[in-house]
Amino acid sequence: MTTDPWQYFTFADNGEPLQLDSGRSLGPVTLAYETHGSLNADRSNAILILHAFSGNSHVANHAHTGGRDDGPGWWEAMVGPGLGIDTDKYFVICSNILGSCCGSTGPGSPNPETGKPYGLDFPMVTIGDMVRAQKSLIDHLGISRLYAVIGGSVGGMQVLQWCVSYPEMVRTAIPLATTMRHSALCIAFNEVARQAIMADPKWRKGKYPDDDPPELGLAVARMVGHITYLSDKAMHRKFGRKLQEREDLSFRFESDFQVESYLNYQGTKFVRRFDANSLLYITKASDYFDLNNEKEATINRLEKAPIKFLVVSFTSDWLYPTYQSRELVQALKRNGCNVSFCEIHADCGHDAFLLPNKRLTTLIRGFLDGAKTA
Amino acid sequence: MTTDPWQYFTFADNGEPLQLDSGRSLGPVTLAYETHGSLNADRSNAILILHAFSGNSHVANHAHTGGRDDGPGWWEAMVGPGLGIDTDKYFVICSNILGSCCGSTGPGSPNPETGKPYGLDFPMVTIGDMVRAQKSLIDHLGISRLYAVIGGSVGGMQVLQWCVSYPEMVRTAIPLATTMRHSALCIAFNEVARQAIMADPKWRKGKYPDDDPPELGLAVARMVGHITYLSDKAMHRKFGRKLQEREDLSFRFESDFQVESYLNYQGTKFVRRFDANSLLYITKASDYFDLNNEKEATINRLEKAPIKFLVVSFTSDWLYPTYQSRELVQALKRNGCNVSFCEIHADCGHDAFLLPNKRLTTLIRGFLDGAKTA
């Protein structure tokens, strides 16, 4: 097993298109993925990390594991030798999700029928579809059971979907700062983000050229998202009413306050690294996510599943508040699952799961070590 | 004193332009206002109601007070004969705020220098400026002291500003669901709303024609606002994950969920009644609002002011949470003011102050009656 970063797995190799929850199929499908550490002889130490909405496969710098320096990853504080997810012990896999724009197939990929980007001809994908694609990757890597699936936010939804779809393939599961069904509030914020993009005339019903995307709409969408990742307290501490490089109010429509500059900067920065159509597809996938649907509560497929769960929420997360993690814990317990639950005190909002946090690191390390002897 | 609705008061009558906090001046200035009930002989029963960000002077239907049926007002449940603010007892005045678009002078009004709408040539106005204009109206009505100033949200900021600017003119003050300084979170949401408008090419740097406004940007701005007026719980109760006129998910970019349709409807409806530039000006005015500024804490001008305060917050209001009302109460008490404080249990979010609420009605009625005998 090589541990080279930025590898690609394409389903076309199998000749089988991916069957989607919508009834449509998609192929060829490519997943970009990266690995850290080494798979052991009996292939029992693999951990699949699932990234959040705008993430990618680059979970940590490969320089820490003897590879080339390819820059910091999005979970640098958690993944590496001796860290919470210890790459000296575990073989870590992280793949970019289906529908995204960081190497995996998404609306920006060429449609084999036209040779041009799919745009809105890309089929709607669900969290279930994302996980189905990942399952093919794990099969391809010759791993029959994952030691753990771990992820926060939309990544946490994938963790839960993995358990529901392939319970026999999951030994332990750590869903962080997430929910088993997307709330009206979350759908509402996602809808605003989508409308901001679709209101931009440069969006052109999804058929925009690479070099002229709907950047103003995408920036507004990101600003909305960014607010929801923070908390009132964190914003007060970080920005308060501090002015941005000025002594007094401008009495003009400029960025008077640091929080305004910060949001504008985040919006503009995002445009350079993310695709507007991917945002539309991934937000819709998370809005569709509901393991406790009245028609079919798929969470109940977990009845007596031999998976050990660690559910973690954060006190100031108002996007996926603790009560939603508690509902998840209750549903899992009702199904006779083995569940540990921890609410971590953190005042930095939903982003807490991504930020360095001793408590979270200790918790994850201990849980993973404990599951080994169990 | 006539009680005809929809009256206009124009400063030009005085020949004096309004001096603004920015150092600029503005004239002529017109305020649209409405009244209910009758001013008593000693002119001591006048209550000034201050409306929130997108409100207007039409606080209640005049049919209740013997006038013509001019449709329901924005505080229909609170203002009228025998209601919380009893028009049999009090003479109620409500004026559209400076910078708005419902009869009072704002960026959509004709600039006397050009004959065309001001657009961004309209000077930036503050909550202080809005109150300064209202003071001229109250002078014009021959009222030297208001029995009460009452308002929620941005209206509550005006209540506090009235007390600070003209303490001798205010007998009682009821700031509802508000703050003495706009938080980073609130500034952030306002900035997103502004950026959504300014990103719309139809905005044309504020110079859009009446019949072709930046409606998509304004709709997105309103959607953002609307989410912040509700609460997670209220949205769950009202919408949950209910689908909109369909049995199953569409797997397309349509409104699958009721909450999406609702927000889109609210956005579209708002476009028909509100001006995009007014939104820019009024959000900026509220962002600038800070009575506890480090340079000058104007709240301290209230030292021993003989005003009776009733401060009210609502448990699920996350835009102006209870802790901000408590900070206000502490600042008032530090200044030796007479303050009552009540946090009302309500799970409908910031909007709670506008919705029919027995507790709030009883509280306001009792406070107003009590102040009479005090």
Side-chain angles (χ1 to χ4, degrees), chain B residues 117-309:
Chain B
Y118 278 104
L120 290 205
D121 291 331
F122 194 72
M124 197 65 78
V125 293
T126 64
I127 301 289
D129 296 329
M130 293 173 185
V131 165
R132 202 171 292 123
Q134 288 157 3
K135 198 266 188 183
S136 291
L137 168 64
I138 299 305
D139 287 346
H140 162 77
L141 294 174
I143 295 161
S144 59
R145 198 169 181 214
L146 290 160
Y147 186 75
V149 287
I150 306 177
S153 196
V154 176
M157 297 178 202
Q158 295 164 63
V159 168
L160 296 174
Q161 186 70 53
W162 257 99
C163 298
V164 164
S165 297
Y166 310 106
E168 70 290 352
M169 289 182 71
V170 180
R171 193 160 156 182
T172 64
I174 310 184
L176 306 165
T178 194
T179 184
M180 64 175 167
R181 58 184 335 210
H182 224 217
S183 71
L185 180 71
C186 290
I187 295 173
F189 276 120
N190 277 348
E191 174 67 1
V192 170
R194 285 190 292 265
Q195 290 296 333
I197 289 171
M198 290 157 84
D200 188 334
K202 287 196 169 182
W203 179 60
R204 304 172 179 95
K205 293 186 192 281
K207 284 195 207 294
Y208 46 87
D210 263 6
D211 59 355
D212 192 26
E215 40 185 35
L216 293 177
L218 181 58
V220 169
R222 182 56 169 181
M223 291 170 75
V224 174
H226 225 88
I227 298 176
T228 66
Y229 305 150
L230 300 175
S231 71
D232 181 30
K233 199 164 178 180
M235 291 178 96
H236 177 71
R237 193 181 48 228
K238 195 164 181 176
F239 309 110
R241 293 183 51 83
K242 279 185 286 226
L243 296 176
Q244 176 70 15
E245 291 172 8
R246 59 173 73 249
E247 289 294 306
D248 282 303
L249 300 174
S250 71
F251 289 102
R252 285 187 297 188
F253 289 104
E254 296 175 3
S255 284
D256 284 288
F257 300 101
Q258 285 183 11
V259 65
E260 294 173 298
S261 305
Y262 172 81
L263 281 180
N264 282 296
Y265 170 73
Q266 292 294 340
T268 312
K269 198 175 73 167
F270 191 63
V271 167
R272 290 198 296 268
R273 76 168 178 89
F274 211 76
D275 175 54
N277 283 339
S278 280
L279 184 146
L280 300 181
Y281 278 87
I282 299 172
T283 55
K284 202 77 180 170
S286 57
D287 288 353
Y288 276 14
F289 187 67
D290 182 5
L291 294 184
N292 205 20
N293 193 294
E294 285 141 24
K295 285 190 186 169
E296 196 203 354
T298 47
I299 193 85
N300 294 335
R301 290 192 202 157
L302 283 173
E303 201 180 339
K304 296 191 182 122
I307 304 169
K308 280 190 74 173
F309 287 90

Side-chain angles (χ1 to χ4, degrees), chain A residues 21-22 120 124 126 181-185 187-189 191-192 194-196 198-199 201 216 220 223-224 227 232 235-236 239-241 247-257 259-260 263-264 280-281 284 286-290 295 318 321 323-324, chain B residues 21-22 120 124 126 181-185 187-189 191-192 194-196 198-199 201 216 220 223-224 227 232 235-236 239-241 247-257 259-260 263-264 280-281 284 286-290 295 318 321 323-324:
Chain A
D21 284 340
S22 65
L120 289 205
M124 197 65 78
T126 64
R181 56 185 335 212
H182 225 217
S183 71
L185 180 70
I187 296 173
F189 276 120
E191 175 66 0
V192 171
R194 285 189 293 265
Q195 291 296 332
M198 290 157 83
L216 293 178
V220 170
M223 290 169 76
V224 174
I227 297 176
D232 181 29
M235 290 178 95
H236 177 72
F239 309 110
R241 293 183 51 83
E247 289 294 307
D248 281 303
L249 300 173
S250 71
F251 289 101
R252 284 186 299 185
F253 289 105
E254 295 176 3
S255 283
D256 283 289
F257 299 102
V259 65
E260 295 172 299
L263 282 179
N264 282 298
L280 300 181
Y281 278 87
K284 201 77 180 170
S286 57
D287 288 352
Y288 276 14
F289 187 68
D290 182 4
K295 285 191 186 167
W318 55 278
Y323 81 84
Q324 294 184 17
Chain B
D21 284 340
S22 65
L120 290 205
M124 197 65 78
T126 64
R181 58 184 335 210
H182 224 217
S183 71
L185 180 71
I187 295 173
F189 276 120
E191 174 67 1
V192 170
R194 285 190 292 265
Q195 290 296 333
M198 290 157 84
L216 293 177
V220 169
M223 291 170 75
V224 174
I227 298 176
D232 181 30
M235 291 178 96
H236 177 71
F239 309 110
R241 293 183 51 83
E247 289 294 306
D248 282 303
L249 300 174
S250 71
F251 289 102
R252 285 187 297 188
F253 289 104
E254 296 175 3
S255 284
D256 284 288
F257 300 101
V259 65
E260 294 173 298
L263 281 180
N264 282 296
L280 300 181
Y281 278 87
K284 202 77 180 170
S286 57
D287 288 353
Y288 276 14
F289 187 67
D290 182 5
K295 285 190 186 169
W318 54 278
Y323 80 85
Q324 294 183 20

Side-chain angles (χ1 to χ4, degrees), chain A residues 73-374:
Chain A
W74 57 265
W75 218 4
E76 199 66 24
M78 186 62 79
V79 179
L83 298 182
I85 300 173
D86 189 344
T87 51
D88 286 340
K89 295 178 186 169
Y90 303 108
F91 177 63
V92 167
I93 308 155
C94 183
S95 79
N96 184 222
I97 56 178
L98 188 69
S100 184
C101 51
C102 312
S104 294
T105 302
S109 305
N111 181 343
E113 284 178 24
T114 63
K116 289 179 187 159
Y118 278 104
L120 289 205
D121 291 330
F122 194 73
M124 197 65 78
V125 294
T126 64
I127 302 289
D129 296 330
M130 292 174 187
V131 165
R132 202 170 292 123
Q134 288 157 3
K135 198 264 190 187
S136 291
L137 169 64
I138 299 304
D139 287 347
H140 163 76
L141 294 175
I143 296 161
S144 58
R145 198 169 181 215
L146 290 162
Y147 186 74
V149 286
I150 307 176
S153 196
V154 176
M157 297 178 201
Q158 295 165 62
V159 167
L160 296 173
Q161 187 68 55
W162 256 98
C163 298
V164 164
S165 297
Y166 310 106
E168 70 290 352
M169 288 182 72
V170 179
R171 194 161 158 183
T172 62
I174 310 184
L176 306 165
T178 193
T179 183
M180 64 175 166
R181 56 185 335 212
H182 225 217
S183 71
L185 180 70
C186 290
I187 296 173
F189 276 120
N190 276 349
E191 175 66 0
V192 171
R194 285 189 293 265
Q195 291 296 332
I197 288 171
M198 290 157 83
D200 188 333
K202 288 198 169 181
W203 178 61
R204 305 170 177 98
K205 293 186 192 278
K207 283 195 207 299
Y208 47 86
D210 263 6
D211 58 355
D212 192 26
E215 41 185 35
L216 293 178
L218 181 57
V220 170
R222 181 56 168 181
M223 290 169 76
V224 174
H226 224 87
I227 297 176
T228 67
Y229 306 150
L230 300 174
S231 70
D232 181 29
K233 198 163 179 181
M235 290 178 95
H236 177 72
R237 193 182 47 227
K238 197 166 179 174
F239 309 110
R241 293 183 51 83
K242 278 185 286 222
L243 298 175
Q244 176 69 17
E245 291 173 8
R246 59 173 74 247
E247 289 294 307
D248 281 303
L249 300 173
S250 71
F251 289 101
R252 284 186 299 185
F253 289 105
E254 295 176 3
S255 283
D256 283 289
F257 299 102
Q258 285 183 11
V259 65
E260 295 172 299
S261 305
Y262 172 81
L263 282 179
N264 282 298
Y265 170 75
Q266 292 294 339
T268 312
K269 198 174 74 165
F270 191 62
V271 168
R272 289 198 296 269
R273 76 169 177 88
F274 211 74
D275 176 54
N277 282 340
S278 280
L279 183 147
L280 300 181
Y281 278 87
I282 300 172
T283 54
K284 201 77 180 170
S286 57
D287 288 352
Y288 276 14
F289 187 68
D290 182 4
L291 295 183
N292 205 21
N293 193 294
E294 286 140 24
K295 285 191 186 167
E296 196 204 353
T298 47
I299 193 87
N300 294 336
R301 289 192 202 158
L302 283 174
E303 201 181 339
K304 296 190 182 123
I307 302 169
K308 282 191 72 173
F309 287 90
L310 170 63
V311 176
V312 181
S313 71
F314 298 87
T315 47
S316 59
D317 183 352
W318 55 278
L319 208 48
Y320 305 110
T322 290
Y323 81 84
Q324 294 184 17
S325 282
R326 286 192 197 280
E327 284 171 4
L328 167 63
V329 168
Q330 280 156 14
L332 293 173
K333 287 195 171 166
R334 209 168 51 227
N335 281 294
C337 295
N338 181 337
V339 194
S340 302
F341 168 60
C342 182
E343 182 187 31
I344 292 181
H345 184 86
D347 67 4
C348 38
H350 180 60
D351 260 354
F353 81 92
L354 281 174
L355 301 173
N357 183 308
K358 254 192 182 173
R359 182 87 198 278
L360 182 62
T361 300
T362 312
L363 197 66
I364 289 181
R365 186 195 291 121
F367 181 77
L368 291 174
D369 285 350
K372 199 175 291 182
T373 55

Side-chain angles (χ1 to χ4, degrees), chain A residues 1-81:
Chain A
M1 178 63 52
T2 157
T3 59
D4 277 1
W6 292 101
Q7 302 181 92
Y8 295 92
F9 167 60
T10 302
F11 281 44
D13 300 348
N14 301 348
E16 284 184 23
L18 186 69
Q19 296 302 319
L20 303 173
D21 284 340
S22 65
R24 293 174 67 183
S25 65
L26 181 68
V29 170
T30 296
L31 289 191
Y33 70 101
E34 301 185 38
T35 65
H36 296 259
S38 305
L39 191 60
N40 61 10
D42 61 359
R43 296 171 176 265
S44 64
N45 71 332
I47 291 182
L48 180 63
I49 296 180
L50 291 324
H51 71 73
F53 146 67
S54 69
N56 55 39
S57 60
H58 193 55
V59 66
N61 193 332
H62 283 86
H64 308 316
T65 42
R68 69 181 171 88
D69 181 351
D70 49 8
W74 57 265
W75 218 4
E76 199 66 24
M78 186 62 79
V79 179

Side-chain angles (χ1 to χ4, degrees), chain B residues 70-86:
Chain B
D70 49 7
W74 58 265
W75 217 6
E76 199 66 24
M78 186 62 78
V79 179
L83 298 181
I85 300 173
D86 188 345

